Amino acid sequence: MPVPDSKSSDEQKEAWRRARLLVGAAVRNERLRAGLTQEALALESGVTRNMLIHVEHGNRGVSFERIYDLAEALGIDAAALMPPSDPASGEGR
């Protein structure tokens, strides 16, 4: 069972924030590389444009399933959107 956010340590919350930023940057970079607008990627992947905006800015996490939907729409492997095992490193794949 997931731990409620209020029960998470400050270190864990910071690690999640860094991971969201890394995933969002990867989505944006791959979207631009593919020459897609946010609207086009949203339509292709099945996410809303508003959600995509929040994901790209690192303000919102994205579900495991949506990572695959975004990767498929971008024509890449889902692993390309995932941060390293230790988001504290601040480096993407």
Side-chain angles (χ1 to χ4, degrees):
M1 179 168 190
V3 176
D5 194 45
S6 62
K7 302 285 185 190
S8 301
S9 69
D10 289 341
E11 293 81 18
Q12 183 62 55
K13 290 176 186 176
E14 179 59 20
W16 291 334
R17 185 191 70 78
R18 286 190 304 268
R20 285 192 309 270
L21 288 170
L22 290 170
V23 169
V27 169
R28 182 176 189 277
N29 289 339
E30 291 296 336
R31 176 180 62 77
L32 294 174
R33 181 199 53 77
L36 296 173
T37 63
Q38 289 174 332
E39 184 71 23
L41 179 56
L43 290 170
E44 285 294 314
S45 66
V47 303
T48 66
R49 182 170 176 263
N50 283 341
M51 179 182 169
L52 186 58
I53 290 167
H54 288 292
V55 168
E56 286 189 2
H57 286 101
N59 297 328
R60 180 174 177 170
V62 60
S63 72
F64 180 77
E65 294 85 359
R66 288 299 186 196
I67 290 282
Y68 279 90
D69 293 340
L70 289 165
E72 184 177 343
L74 290 165
I76 60 173
D77 187 72
L81 298 178
M82 297 299 295
S85 296
D86 179 15
S89 70
E91 297 176 10
R93 288 188 181 262

